[in-house]
Amino acid sequence: MADMDRRLSSWQGISIDKELLHYRQDGGGDSTHSSSKRRRHHTTIEKLPDKVLLAIFSYLSHREICQMARVCKKWRVIAYDTRLWKSVSLRPEISGLHVGSLESLLALISIRFGPSLRYIELPIELITHTVLHELANKCPNLTHMLLDFSTAMQLHDFSEMQAFPTKLRYMCICLSEVIFMEGFMRKIYNFINGLEALHLIGTYEKVEEEEEEIYEVINVHKLKSATPNLRVINLYGINFIDDSHIDAFSSNCIQLECLAVNFCNKVTGSTMKTLFQRSRRLKCLLMNQTNLQSEYVMQVEWEKTCLQELDITATDLSTECLIDMLTRIPALRFLMAGQLNGFNDSVLKAWMEHGNPRSMVALDLDMSDNLSDEALYKFLLKHGQQLLGLSLSGMPHITDQLWQSVLPILTNAKIIIMGTNERLGVNIHVDQLMDGIANNCPALERLELRWDPDNLRFSDKSQKAIDVLRVKLMKLKCLVLSDGRYYEIVKANFERADRMTVVRTITSCRVSIYYLLSNYADLIFN
């Protein structure tokens, strides 16, 4: 609060000083003008109207809002306004609030959340039948819910649960490794038939290399019967999900538009043909690091699908399969096909000559070492102007020379990812690169340079190139660089211009073309 008061006082001081200067230049003033100036000298943030304070508080986190509530009675009333509590996370380990007891949460639901609550995240210790009853009764407009069971060693008793929020459109369940969910799920099946987006988040990142017994901790075959209206299904990193589960969802979810099974390594694609035959509206299929088999993929009747967005990163599909698929998909707009040894110049050539890349707006070919810079240049020369997102990262042979030649073509790009963290035998002249980006990509929002800091060469005039980038790219939200001297220079430059959050380091942030997915907002979880 003290900081806010000081900043406000300094702003007021500026305006008062200007008025005082004007007064002196005029050679004096009447007493009314003088008293007006004195009143302004005593103006503080506490004099602001409630609606202005409410707008200021809306930029604060809930932790900060709770701190502001201790300042005075007026601020307490503002802090408890339900309009500030539409979206609430109660998971302190993920920037949420810590609630010490169930009694405290029940009081919050009644007093502070109420009908305004739209979104809530609950950790395992707060997921009880009493809490869910209160949410159902006191928060009738709740549409988004995340239930985190990931750290559970046992569940609460839900045998008495008779109510559950009925207007949910989005539900995310973080699964436990060993806790079976069926007792809880049986109680909520009758309440979730309005769901449009379902996320089941597994424990992929916790799995050890040693082979352990795999438990099917949630019954997907029963769950699909209770959720016929799903448009978006995200099964992320679940070690028991296989093709039969995809088949189960496709048999009942005729509205399905987006299916994501990233990091579900038991998925082979054996039911993919049936999936597209049943789900005629399926536009987005994300299968990053699954165990897709080329023979199954080639059986799909791609010509009859309306597929627009595809992620087959690190799936080890063959060159023959990639050519067959890309030349038959009618109008692909988004493709992630990185880390594929089979993606080579012949695939790119066949796609250009016999396929339809004219609809392509987002392309990621990360670590596609078998693609030559010549083939990439030909493709970008023809289709680069239509691209909104491009990633050619992880390829040591793609240096600043290729980028300098294609940047004048990428005039509509919003996302660009370039460079590799491997130590190169050549230097990257980053000043000229930054200048080329600034002058050719006015719509750029996200940029990542992954080159090793030791490969970046820049001069004493680097500040000028960074200035041009910062001034011309006013839409730039995120600029990611490897930690090093150049990162510090760029960060300091942006911070001096009060753009504090733009420049970030690779260790804490990575850019992806996923932002360009049609269902990106529905796919966000955790």
Side-chain angles (χ1 to χ4, degrees):
M1 185 200 71
D3 288 342
M4 293 173 72
D5 255 345
R6 280 197 296 272
R7 285 197 293 269
L8 190 63
S9 298
S10 67
W11 298 335
Q12 292 163 344
I14 291 171
S15 62
I16 290 168
D17 288 343
K18 286 181 179 177
E19 288 180 7
L20 186 59
L21 179 63
H22 179 69
Y23 169 79
R24 286 174 177 169
Q25 287 173 343
D26 286 346
D30 57 23
S31 58
T32 304
H33 190 94
S34 178
S35 62
S36 174
K37 286 187 298 178
R38 284 197 297 270
R39 283 197 300 272
R40 286 175 182 167
H41 271 297
H42 292 290
T43 301
T44 67
I45 195 172
E46 294 177 2
K47 303 295 183 181
L48 290 175
D50 287 358
K51 64 179 181 180
V52 176
L53 280 174
L54 186 67
I56 294 172
F57 276 35
S58 70
Y59 288 94
L60 303 176
S61 69
H62 285 132
R63 288 182 180 180
E64 293 168 327
I65 290 173
C66 290
Q67 292 172 347
M68 295 300 105
R70 300 175 183 176
V71 173
C72 62
K73 290 181 179 179
K74 179 178 180 179
W75 284 29
R76 184 180 180 86
V77 172
I78 299 293
Y80 285 179
D81 191 304
T82 56
R83 286 171 287 184
L84 294 174
W85 298 87
K86 293 181 180 179
S87 177
V88 179
S89 171
L90 300 178
R91 298 190 295 166
E93 70 279 5
I94 309 182
S95 303
L97 285 175
H98 172 71
V99 177
S101 66
L102 288 173
E103 291 73 18
S104 300
L105 176 56
L106 295 174
L108 284 173
I109 293 172
S110 298
I111 300 170
R112 200 173 305 181
F113 298 168
S116 295
L117 188 67
R118 300 288 191 278
Y119 177 103
I120 192 167
E121 297 181 6
L122 294 172
I124 176 60
E125 60 271 18
L126 298 179
I127 304 173
T128 68
H129 73 274
T130 308
V131 169
L132 296 174
H133 281 180
E134 282 294 288
L135 287 172
N137 295 328
K138 303 290 177 58
C139 306
N141 297 312
L142 184 63
T143 57
H144 290 61
M145 175 180 281
L146 183 149
L147 302 175
D148 189 353
F149 295 96
S150 60
T151 59
M153 296 310 294
Q154 69 178 60
L155 295 183
H156 294 283
D157 181 11
F158 293 100
S159 59
E160 297 181 14
M161 190 167 79
Q162 301 297 327
F164 192 78
T166 57
K167 291 187 179 180
L168 290 183
R169 294 293 175 266
Y170 168 109
M171 186 165 71
C172 178
I173 300 177
C174 300
L175 303 176
S176 167
E177 292 179 280
V178 295
I179 299 300
F180 295 92
M181 302 287 299
E182 192 51 33
F184 169 75
M185 297 302 294
R186 267 199 308 269
K187 292 291 184 178
I188 71 171
Y189 284 146
N190 292 332
F191 301 97
I192 60 174
N193 57 13
L195 280 183
E196 296 179 6
L198 173 66
H199 295 254
L200 298 180
I201 309 305
T203 54
Y204 170 81
E205 295 178 356
K206 299 179 183 179
V207 173
E208 299 179 359
E209 292 187 5
E210 296 181 11
E211 197 69 31
E212 295 182 357
E213 188 174 357
I214 296 174
Y215 300 102
E216 191 166 337
V217 296
I218 194 167
N219 192 326
V220 171
H221 296 276
K222 289 185 179 180
L223 177 59
K224 60 96 178 179
S225 300
T227 53
N229 296 307
L230 288 176
R231 293 183 302 101
V232 178
I233 298 174
N234 179 24
L235 311 175
Y236 181 90
I238 306 176
N239 53 12
F240 64 81
I241 289 291
D242 58 27
D243 299 277
S244 69
H245 300 104
I246 295 176
D247 187 62
F249 274 120
S250 68
S251 67
N252 196 53
C253 304
I254 60 174
Q255 311 290 337
L256 191 60
E257 297 175 5
C258 175
L259 174 65
V261 288
N262 293 339
F263 300 96
C264 295
N265 53 26
K266 285 195 171 184
V267 172
T268 66
S270 62
T271 60
M272 192 183 293
K273 181 178 180 179
T274 307
L275 169 68
F276 280 103
Q277 289 173 342
R278 292 170 174 169
S279 305
R280 295 293 183 179
R281 299 184 182 184
L282 188 62
K283 298 184 300 183
C284 177
L285 182 61
L286 309 178
M287 311 189 83
N288 191 327
Q289 297 208 34
T290 54
N291 193 28
L292 284 184
Q293 302 297 307
S294 296
E295 58 183 293
Y296 296 138
V297 175
M298 294 173 70
Q299 291 173 7
V300 178
E301 297 173 302
W302 295 108
E303 302 90 343
K304 298 179 180 180
T305 70
C306 62
L307 187 69
Q308 297 177 9
E309 299 166 343
L310 178 65
D311 184 356
I312 48 173
T313 302
T315 52
D316 205 27
L317 295 176
S318 67
T319 299
E320 180 188 8
C321 176
L322 292 169
I323 292 174
D324 177 79
M325 178 171 56
L326 292 178
T327 54
R328 291 198 289 139
I329 297 177
L332 200 61
R333 66 176 295 276
F334 177 104
L335 176 64
M336 291 187 70
Q339 303 176 47
L340 292 173
N341 290 329
F343 205 115
N344 52 31
D345 290 0
S346 61
V347 175
L348 212 53
K349 183 180 178 181
W351 189 21
M352 291 175 65
E353 294 178 354
H354 306 293
N356 179 26
R358 291 184 297 276
S359 303
M360 184 61 50
V361 297
L363 179 63
D364 185 330
L365 298 173
D366 176 60
M367 298 178 68
S368 297
D369 293 332
N370 292 328
L371 282 170
S372 67
D373 50 358
E374 182 182 357
L376 287 168
Y377 179 74
K378 287 180 180 178
F379 181 86
L380 294 174
L381 191 63
K382 189 172 182 179
H383 300 288
Q385 194 168 17
Q386 70 201 43
L387 292 180
L388 303 180
L390 177 63
S391 173
L392 300 178
S393 56
M395 293 181 274
H397 61 289
I398 305 299
T399 63
D400 53 332
Q401 292 184 356
L402 176 65
W403 281 105
Q404 289 284 21
S405 63
V406 301
L407 281 173
I409 307 167
L410 303 174
T411 52
N412 294 308
K414 293 183 178 181
I415 300 173
I416 293 178
I417 307 167
M418 57 178 73
T420 175
N421 53 16
E422 295 181 38
R423 191 71 62 86
L424 303 179
V426 296
N427 294 324
I428 305 299
H429 299 281
V430 71
D431 288 349
Q432 293 93 317
L433 193 58
M434 287 293 201
D435 196 57
I437 293 169
N439 289 313
N440 293 292
C441 308
L444 200 65
E445 298 177 3
R446 292 177 171 86
L447 172 64
E448 181 171 350
L449 276 65
R450 294 181 181 174
W451 282 295
D452 188 286
D454 291 339
N455 285 123
L456 298 181
R457 289 294 174 267
F458 50 94
S459 66
D460 296 335
K461 298 180 181 179
S462 283
Q463 290 288 358
K464 184 177 179 180
I466 301 167
D467 284 340
V468 172
L469 183 85
R470 175 174 47 75
V471 171
K472 290 195 172 185
L473 302 187
M474 294 307 296
K475 295 181 180 179
L476 192 65
K477 302 174 183 176
C478 181
L479 170 53
V480 181
L481 299 162
S482 296
D483 203 352
R485 184 168 167 238
Y486 188 71
Y487 162 76
E488 297 295 340
I489 293 172
V490 177
K491 184 175 176 64
N493 184 293
F494 273 76
E495 287 182 347
R496 282 196 299 272
D498 287 332
R499 295 176 68 180
M500 312 295 289
T501 61
V502 174
V503 183
R504 309 171 194 181
T505 178
I506 283 177
T507 55
S508 60
C509 180
R510 300 302 291 267
V511 174
S512 169
I513 66 169
Y514 262 29
Y515 293 103
L516 298 172
L517 287 171
S518 302
N519 295 101
Y520 174 72
D522 292 318
L523 286 166
I524 297 174
F525 67 91
N526 243 9

